[in-house]
């Protein structure tokens, strides 16, 4: 019932959509089978309309698809991509960005406006919505330190409103959005006056660290596990000699043991098996229960 209504809306409003979409094309890991439909709203009003149409059915939102992978099986539910929702503007020390803006584009806007505070995030390949959802972090800093507020769609009340920083309930790789009732429409970031040169230098330094330590030339979804208390997940995995260990085409990166890379044709089932194997060994040796950061959509 919802599907014919959705299609009618998409046709009437010239919204881009792909039927029988290859989900691997939507995610940086390049993993997943086909799905019923992916829709690409081109403005926030269309996004809200589509969320309202899909309100009572199962669907999934993806931003830049850099922290998730889809089932190998047919995904019989709509995917809403935010990648065309990419407007942003600056007012004094506040940057406002729609949820589909890439994090990198917002870092560059901040640089251009000589605003400091987002340098840590330069190189995180996700979108603003995904970054807020995940409380994206790097080099000891996180979204929670710069965000002021977000405009959200509430699935329960079907209303849109603004939440304060505190109402995001940020924690390590966590926000209120993980409860599944709210969706990010746009977010505002409070930044400090800075010097273009210094901001640029720090952004480049951070990017170079990534280039030197991460397998950026291979498809992946970033760090697989949330950092446990104590040593990092990658240090634990490395200590078990698992760098290069593979299940099919899913492989623990030889460059960074916290990443799993897709060696060409990896299946979600192979990634899941590899994750289970790593978790089992880490638990057996160190009595630490690793938790996945990356999201398996099925
Ligand atoms: C090479 C590489 C390096 C990385 N480095 C880092 C790093 O340093 N730090 C870090 O934190 N992460 C890192 N990541 C992971 C990832 O880039 C971040 O978590 C990013 O914030 C995810 O954004 P995304 O748009 O790709 O999210 P997606 O993968 O598209 O989605 C992730 C989750 O967010 C939800 N979501 C997306 N948009 C919205 C929205 N508008 N409203 C509500 N929910 C939404 C999705 O439903 C999904 O559950 C890295 C990934 C890669 C591949």
């Amino acid at each position: 019932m919802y599907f014919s209504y959705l299609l009618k809306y998409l046709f009437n409003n010239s919204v881009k959509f792909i039927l029988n979409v290859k989900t691997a094309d939507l995610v940086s890991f390049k993993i997943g089978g086909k799905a019923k439909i992916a829709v690409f709203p081109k403005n926030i009003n269309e996004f809200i309309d589509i969320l309202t149409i899909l309100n009572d059915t199962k669907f999934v939102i993806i931003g830049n698809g850099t922290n998730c992978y889809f089932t190998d099986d047919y995904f019989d539910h709509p995917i809403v991509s935010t990648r065309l929702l990419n407007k942003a503007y600056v007012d004094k020390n506040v940057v406002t960005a729609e949820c589909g803006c890439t994090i990198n584009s917002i870092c560059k806007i901040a640089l251009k406006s000589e605003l400091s505070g987002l340098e840590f995030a330069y190189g995180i390949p996700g979108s603003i919505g995904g970054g807020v959802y995940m409380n994206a972090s790097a080099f000891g800093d996180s979204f929670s330190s710069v965000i002021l507020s977000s405009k959200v769609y509430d699935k329960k009340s079907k209303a849109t409103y603004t939440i304060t920083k505190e109402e995001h309930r940020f924690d390590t790789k966590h926000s209120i959005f993980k409860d599944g009732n709210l969706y990010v429409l746009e977010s505002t970031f409070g930044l400090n006056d800075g010097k273009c040169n210094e901001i640029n230098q720090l952004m480049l330094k951070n990017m170079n660290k990534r280039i030197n330590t991460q397998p950026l030339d291979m498809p992946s979804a970033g760090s697989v596990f949330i950092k446990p208390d104590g040593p990092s997940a990658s240090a634990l995995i490395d200590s078990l000699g698992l760098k290069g260990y593979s299940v099919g085409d899913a492989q623990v990166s030889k460059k960074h043991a916290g990443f799993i890379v897709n060696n060409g044709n990896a299946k979600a089932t192979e990634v899941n098996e590899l994750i289970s194997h790593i978790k089992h060994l880490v638990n057996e040796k160190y009595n630490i229960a690793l938790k996945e950061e990356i999201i398996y959509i099925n």
Side-chain angles (χ1 to χ4, degrees):
M1 172 66 184
Y2 83 84
F3 195 59
S4 53
Y5 194 57
L6 175 66
L7 282 181
K8 202 168 155 190
Y9 179 87
L10 300 176
F11 276 117
N12 285 347
N13 293 281
S14 306
V15 180
K16 181 183 167 188
F17 66 91
I18 304 171
L19 289 169
N20 208 23
V21 62
K22 281 190 206 162
T23 59
D25 290 345
L26 301 174
V27 295
S28 57
F29 219 168
K30 302 291 168 216
I31 292 177
K34 295 229 170 147
K36 192 182 186 94
I37 190 170
V39 304
F40 302 80
K42 57 189 173 301
N43 59 54
I44 293 291
N45 285 339
E46 281 181 3
F47 187 37
I48 295 169
D49 286 345
I50 290 166
L51 292 175
T52 311
I53 292 169
L54 299 179
N55 201 73
D56 300 322
T57 189
K58 177 173 171 177
F59 68 96
V60 68
I61 292 196
I62 61 162
N64 241 15
T66 62
N67 217 16
C68 58
Y69 59 112
F70 281 86
T71 171
D72 305 316
D73 299 331
Y74 187 71
F75 185 72
D76 197 15
H77 308 281
I79 299 166
V80 183
S81 165
T82 63
R83 67 177 51 165
L84 299 182
L85 305 173
N86 51 18
K87 289 198 181 67
Y89 56 91
V90 182
D91 184 13
K92 297 189 181 107
N93 285 40
V94 176
V95 178
T96 301
E98 288 183 353
C99 59
C101 291
T102 63
I103 295 172
N104 283 344
S105 69
I106 299 309
C107 293
K108 283 184 190 159
I109 285 175
L111 167 67
K112 219 169 144 190
S113 312
E114 296 202 277
L115 292 174
S116 171
L118 272 172
E119 296 89 328
F120 76 91
Y122 189 55
I124 299 178
S127 67
I128 290 297
V132 173
Y133 175 98
M134 271 291 164
N135 190 16
S137 57
F139 309 114
D141 226 331
S142 64
F143 264 42
S144 57
S145 66
V146 278
I147 204 149
L148 295 176
S149 65
S150 291
K151 212 178 260 180
V152 302
Y153 173 85
D154 183 332
K155 200 172 167 174
K156 278 192 180 155
S157 62
K158 298 185 188 171
T160 61
Y161 51 85
T162 298
I163 62 170
T164 61
K165 176 188 182 130
E166 290 68 33
E167 286 168 330
H168 284 70
R169 293 208 220 119
F170 283 124
D171 205 336
T172 308
K173 300 288 171 188
H174 183 84
S175 74
I176 193 170
F177 298 96
K178 286 204 168 177
D179 296 348
N181 289 319
L182 300 182
Y183 299 101
V184 184
L185 302 176
E186 65 173 38
S187 298
T188 59
F189 300 88
L191 304 175
N192 300 312
D193 290 331
K195 292 205 172 89
C196 200
N197 235 355
E198 289 171 11
I199 298 168
N200 196 30
Q201 266 178 19
L202 188 50
M203 281 167 60
L204 291 178
K205 191 175 154 199
N206 289 341
M207 184 59 96
N208 278 328
K209 278 190 203 155
R210 286 177 186 279
I211 292 167
N212 291 332
T213 58
Q214 297 180 354
L216 300 184
D217 53 341
M218 306 280 289
S220 83
S223 294
V224 176
F225 300 104
I226 295 171
K227 187 187 174 308
D229 291 337
S232 67
S234 69
L236 296 171
I237 297 165
D238 200 3
S239 73
L240 292 166
L242 285 171
K243 266 187 179 166
Y245 183 86
S246 305
V247 176
D249 263 353
Q251 184 180 48
V252 177
S253 164
K254 292 177 185 163
K255 194 167 181 182
H256 187 311
F259 281 55
I260 290 176
V261 294
N262 177 355
N263 257 334
N265 208 8
K267 302 276 170 269
T269 46
E270 293 169 350
V271 172
N272 294 342
E273 199 184 311
L274 184 52
I275 288 175
S276 298
H277 183 66
I278 294 167
K279 285 172 77 170
H280 173 73
L281 291 187
V282 169
N283 201 17
E284 196 175 56
K285 176 100 195 252
Y286 297 109
N287 198 23
I288 292 173
L290 289 179
K291 281 196 195 125
E292 289 91 321
E293 174 180 332
I294 61 176
I295 297 163
Y296 175 48
I297 302 171
N298 65 349

